[in-house]
Amino acid sequence: MFTWRERLEPTGDRYGVEWAVTDRHGGSSLAPFASFNLGAHVGDLEEAVSTNRHRLAHELGLRVADLRLMDQQHGSAVALTPATSGAGEEGVPAADALVTGSTDEALVVLVADCVPLLLVDRTEGLAAAVHAGRPGLVAGVVPAAVQALRDLGATQLEAVVGPSVCPRCYEVPAALRDQAAAVVASAVSVSRSGTPAVDVAAGVVQQLADSDLDVSVRWLPGCTREREDLYSYRRDGRTGRFAGVVRLLPPERVA
Ligand SMILES: [Zn+2]
């Protein structure tokens, strides 16, 4: 169910965090989505996706209604969750970054080659889940998410960059590589066959390093296209989505 999972307990005034990256195992979906597909718009059976999402929520000690997902656009829009924005109406926002200050919900970013980025400020009690593919990198979703957190008071971020397609496996037309390079130089790369490629994760890491905030980055290893335990759109086309998930845990202090 998880290829990576970590729980950092709250200490004193400091929030804890539970964050994870799911894999293909332990779910109810059948081929070609087998088995822990969390994406509802890929052609999988609704019941299977629902069962898988319930399992994910249960693992995190939450209800499925406490999972916050996005209608991902490959853009740079940032949405605050209902609990954080004060909006009464729940919905799935059209956005590529979700931000919360609530400890009662988990943010979920769905991917199958794009970069799942998770961010927390454990002093201020803020978290974000960001969907950064090549278009999102170029559109600036990472700086937009960091700015949104900063606007809410964040000063010091911890970041986890999840597995994504590696540049050896991500050949693109030269024009697209050049477009990415114009935004963030570290995204320039070369494919396994020597053709132009984009290193989206390197670009994300560079954008975090370039931000005005103090960001400590952990970059998880693994290429989605090369790892059978993760979904890869480039490898399989019709396939499922795995997830980056982040949930804040309340500090020990009594409010
Ligand atoms: Zn690769």
Side-chain angles (χ1 to χ4, degrees):
M1 182 178 287
F2 296 107
T3 184
W4 176 82
R5 185 181 189 182
E6 181 180 74
R7 183 182 169 98
L8 300 172
E9 296 296 337
T11 52
D13 278 356
R14 220 162 134 70
Y15 287 74
V17 61
E18 177 150 37
W19 42 9
V21 177
T22 66
D23 64 18
R24 293 186 73 140
H25 304 306
S28 296
S29 300
L30 303 176
F33 308 105
S35 68
F36 199 61
N37 168 44
L38 295 163
H41 301 292
V42 293
D44 194 1
L45 295 175
E46 216 174 284
E47 310 89 84
V49 176
S50 172
T51 301
N52 292 342
R53 288 182 177 180
H54 274 87
R55 275 183 204 164
L56 175 62
H58 180 76
E59 276 291 323
L60 299 168
L62 295 169
R63 300 167 305 149
V64 73
D66 301 323
L67 298 181
R68 301 281 173 237
L69 291 103
M70 301 172 265
D71 181 5
Q72 299 171 182
Q73 309 284 314
H74 288 288
S76 62
V78 181
L80 303 184
T81 67
T84 299
S85 65
E89 194 60 35
E90 288 188 27
V92 179
D96 288 279
L98 267 179
V99 173
T100 190
S102 169
T103 55
D104 298 325
E105 54 193 19
L107 308 182
V108 180
V109 48
L110 298 177
V111 288
D113 289 338
C114 292
V115 176
L117 167 65
L118 306 174
L119 296 162
V120 290
D121 182 320
R122 292 176 61 202
T123 303
E124 297 302 324
L126 296 165
V130 183
H131 168 246
R134 183 189 50 76
L137 178 78
V138 171
V141 69
V142 174
V146 170
Q147 185 61 47
L149 289 164
R150 188 185 185 161
D151 291 345
L152 291 167
T155 55
Q156 215 170 24
L157 297 176
E158 294 168 63
V160 169
V161 178
S164 63
V165 67
C166 85
R168 268 86 58 205
C169 296
Y170 193 42
E171 176 185 61
V172 296
L176 293 185
R177 179 203 55 190
D178 295 346
Q179 183 193 43
V183 174
V184 51
S186 304
V188 170
S189 198
V190 179
S191 78
R192 191 167 275 116
S193 54
T195 53
V198 173
D199 191 334
V200 179
V204 167
V205 168
Q206 184 64 51
Q207 287 182 326
L208 291 171
D210 289 345
S211 90
D212 293 338
L213 297 188
D214 179 7
V215 188
S216 67
V217 177
R218 270 187 292 167
W219 188 352
L220 304 180
C223 167
T224 43
R225 195 170 181 180
E226 296 173 72
R227 281 182 52 176
E228 294 288 339
D229 64 327
L230 299 173
Y231 296 106
S232 170
Y233 179 78
R234 273 249 163 169
R235 180 184 63 222
D236 297 327
R238 189 170 157 83
T239 191
R241 297 291 181 270
F242 68 97
V245 188
V246 58
R247 182 198 179 184
L248 289 168
L249 305 171
E252 290 169 331
R253 69 178 143 80
V254 179

